[in-house]
Structure formats: C-alpha cells, structure tokens
Amino acid sequence: GQSLEQPSEVTAVEGAIVQINCTYQTSGFYGLSWYQQHDGGAPTFLSYNGLDGLEETGRFSSFLSRSDSYGYLLLQELQMKDSASYFCAVRVKNNQGGKLIFGQGTELSVKP
Amino acid sequence: GAVVSQHPSWVICKSGTSVKIECRSLDFQATTMFWYRQFPKQSLMLMATSNEGSKATYEQGVEKDKFLINHASLTLSTLTVTSAHPEDSSFYICSARLLTYGYNEQFFGPGTRLTVL
C-alpha cells in the first residue's frame, strides 16, 4: 500500500515563507505532485517532481529526494489568498498508466 | 484549456434512491478518468480509475455494485451511487488525465456535493 505524511496545519503571516513537508512510503513511484484546495473547491495543480531536485513556479517551489522518500512545497511571499489546504500526492504505477494517491492535507492559515 | 466539468454541482436525495453524477472533459479527450470521494477536512480518497470503453478498476474497499462507473466516451464518465444512504453523503470529485510532454497531468472537476437524507 501507500502512505503519506504531512503536517495537519501550518500558520504563517503575510509576506513570510512557509515549507510544507511530505514523506511517503509507496511502491511503483513515478513522482510527487502538489495540489491546492480552497474550501468547497476543486484541487488545483501546483507542481510536479519526477526527478530529484527543485522545481520553481513563481512564488511556489517544490523539491523531491527520491532516496529519502521526501519532498516539500515552499511558498514564498505569502498572501492571504494562499490560505487553503495543500495536498501532496504520489503518482504510482497501476495497470492503467498510473494513479494519484493523496496525503491527508495541510491546512495553511495566513494571518495579516 | 484542460477544463473538467461535473454535473450536478450539488444534489440532495432521499435514502434508497440512486444518483448519477456526470464528469466531462470539455476541451480535451481523456482516455482515463478518476473518481475521488472527500469527507469534510479529509483527504481525497481514490475510488476508481476508468478507461474509455472498459470496466473501471476499483480501489480496495470500494463496492463496485454500489458505485457504478461508466466511461462511454473520451469526454464523459458517469458515477452512479445506487441505493444511497446517509453515510454516502460526501463530496465527489472526478479527474481526467491529459498527456502533456510525457507527463500525465490530472485535471480535477469542481466536485459534486451529495447529501442523502
């Protein structure tokens, strides 16, 4: 089976930097994705790491270490609108080209 | 681009009735669609993977006779919750896969909130 661990909640202030860690145990690992979800909304894709290293997309960066089964999402210059739940998700092999398994989510609260 | 729609966005039904939820990829063809269920403040739990024209693959613990999935075309998948009960009340989200530059990216629909009375 698969298991993912991420902190349940994180609080930070506007303008700050926050890092959300994710550790995973899985077989047939393709890569690690990050999604943002606002209350009652659809998850939106933020980032994907298939190889070790850092991927940067604007204020968001994501890192993966396959040997450590570890990744993180880094959010810079936090804004109030960044308050949401953030999910790491492992993409794993199946007989239909792969599937996404989600972690429990980290609720980020950005304070003024 | 890569928009996924769901219909209805919310539905309230009586216990024992069946409810059908549609998932459409609006501007791309999706050979594979996924159905997730999410309870409040919890994770998205994968229910099943469906490929166009073939039977869905259900995750362990998901009753295939209760959650009927049909993927009749490259742009439409449906989930029917049969004989719904209050414990089936949840947020159901579909996702469609788009092959982009060798990476299969999944795009999510806006979700359907099901309330069973």
Side-chain angles (χ1 to χ4, degrees):
Chain A
Q2 300 91 14
S3 70
L4 296 92
E5 286 194 22
Q6 54 181 126
S8 58
E9 54 186 36
V10 172
T11 302
V13 295
E14 266 188 305
I17 300 172
V18 72
Q19 178 173 313
I20 300 173
N21 298 321
C22 175
T23 58
Y24 59 88
Q25 286 187 321
T26 186
S27 56
F29 178 80
Y30 276 137
L32 187 70
S33 295
W34 288 91
Y35 285 82
Q36 179 193 62
Q37 186 184 34
H38 286 97
D39 266 351
T44 55
F45 173 77
L46 293 178
S47 186
Y48 173 74
N49 293 74
L51 302 173
D52 284 2
L54 191 68
E55 293 285 339
E56 297 181 80
T57 310
R59 294 188 296 115
F60 296 169
S61 304
S62 60
F63 172 83
L64 175 66
S65 168
R66 295 172 74 107
S67 60
D68 295 323
S69 297
Y70 162 76
Y72 66 72
L73 177 70
L74 190 74
L75 299 87
Q76 303 183 70
E77 301 173 19
L78 281 175
Q79 302 174 8
M80 297 293 290
K81 67 178 183 179
D82 297 328
S83 293
S85 292
Y86 291 84
F87 294 89
C88 60
V90 290
R91 186 155 173 272
V92 298
K93 294 177 185 176
N94 66 1
N95 60 3
Q96 292 171 307
K99 60 183 180 181
L100 272 178
I101 303 297
F102 282 77
Q104 290 301 306
T106 298
E107 189 167 350
L108 170 64
S109 297
V110 181
K111 307 291 185 186
Chain B
V3 177
V4 177
S5 71
Q6 278 184 245
H7 178 80
S9 54
W10 59 270
V11 57
I12 301 173
C13 69
K14 292 182 179 179
S15 187
T17 60
S18 294
V19 174
K20 181 186 282 188
I21 302 169
E22 290 186 351
C23 175
R24 293 181 186 273
S25 56
L26 296 185
D27 49 3
F28 67 99
Q29 292 184 329
T31 53
T32 306
M33 288 185 172
F34 305 85
W35 287 94
Y36 292 82
R37 180 167 59 177
Q38 186 179 33
F39 293 107
K41 301 292 185 185
Q42 294 190 25
S43 183
L44 285 79
M45 300 301 297
L46 180 63
M47 300 174 68
T49 304
S50 78
N51 281 331
E52 183 263 339
S54 63
K55 288 184 179 179
T57 300
Y58 290 81
E59 294 297 303
Q60 195 171 6
V62 178
E63 300 174 61
K64 60 180 67 176
D65 294 331
K66 176 155 186 72
F67 299 100
L68 301 179
I69 292 172
N70 183 279
H71 193 159
S73 76
L74 289 173
T75 59
L76 173 64
S77 176
T78 61
L79 167 69
T80 302
V81 183
T82 63
S83 187
H85 290 285
E87 58 266 29
D88 298 323
S89 298
S90 188
F91 193 46
Y92 291 87
I93 309 172
C94 74
S95 174
R97 182 156 65 200
L98 172 67
L99 180 62
T100 308
Y101 302 111
Y103 164 58
N104 296 323
E105 187 168 342
Q106 282 185 225
F107 293 89
F108 286 80
T112 296
R113 191 161 301 282
L114 170 63
T115 302
V116 185
L117 303 177

